[in-house]
């Protein structure tokens, strides 16, 4: 069972990036998939989660980020628009049976992808 996160990079403020989280060894649509991020010197925080129960976003990204799922590709995406310097972080995807923003509830993690928002 593996999760592969990708799509990070350097982008200017106001720009966009799309992160991908691809699963192997299990079917993503049976799980809740969450994106977390950890900024330098800060604790990891939940950003968004998608499950059969619905979608949730942390307040700081509402209206700017969109989470979606492509079951045929076994991939979850995080479209990030209007990026701000404070969005700079390593972004991780995680999977488990229950949709929550509590990282301790997730048993499967991707390796992280770095997003840097800077001019």
């Amino acid at each position: 069972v593996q999760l592969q996160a990708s799509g990070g990079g350097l982008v200017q403020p106001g720009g966009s990036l799309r992160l991908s989280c691809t699963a192997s060894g299990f079917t993503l649509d049976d799980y809740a998939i969450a994106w977390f991020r950890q900024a330098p010197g800060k604790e990891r925080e939940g950003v968004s989660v998608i499950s059969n129960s619905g979608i949730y976003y942390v307040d700081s990204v509402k209206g700017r980020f969109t989470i979606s799922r492509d079951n045929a590709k076994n991939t979850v995406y995080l479209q990030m628009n209007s990026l701000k310097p404070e969005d700079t972080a390593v972004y991780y995807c995680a999977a488990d049976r229950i949709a929550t923003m509590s990282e301790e509830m997730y048993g499967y993690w991707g390796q992280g992808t770095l997003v840097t928002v800077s001019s």
Side-chain angles (χ1 to χ4, degrees):
V1 174
Q2 285 189 328
L3 291 172
Q4 179 73 37
S6 62
L10 173 64
V11 64
Q12 292 186 343
S16 298
L17 282 175
R18 189 179 76 162
L19 306 183
S20 300
C21 177
T22 301
S24 58
F26 67 101
T27 303
L28 274 183
D29 64 358
D30 291 337
Y31 287 75
I33 309 300
W35 285 97
F36 290 83
R37 66 185 179 186
Q38 187 165 22
K42 295 187 177 181
E43 293 185 353
R44 190 155 54 186
E45 67 166 346
V47 175
S48 182
V49 61
I50 185 169
S51 72
N52 291 331
S53 300
I55 290 173
Y56 171 84
Y57 300 99
V58 69
D59 285 347
S60 59
V61 308
K62 283 181 180 177
R64 300 188 298 121
F65 290 12
T66 302
I67 193 170
S68 62
R69 189 203 305 261
D70 185 335
N71 291 335
K73 295 183 178 179
N74 216 27
T75 298
V76 168
Y77 301 100
L78 186 68
Q79 177 67 43
M80 306 186 296
N81 299 329
S82 303
L83 282 162
K84 305 175 181 180
E86 52 263 43
D87 295 317
T88 295
V90 178
Y91 284 71
Y92 301 88
C93 60
D96 220 300
R97 295 290 189 176
I98 298 175
T100 174
M101 288 278 88
S102 298
E103 62 176 287
E104 61 268 18
M105 299 298 291
Y106 286 88
Y108 305 108
W109 289 83
Q111 83 287 5
T113 184
L114 176 62
V115 172
T116 303
V117 184
S118 175
S119 55

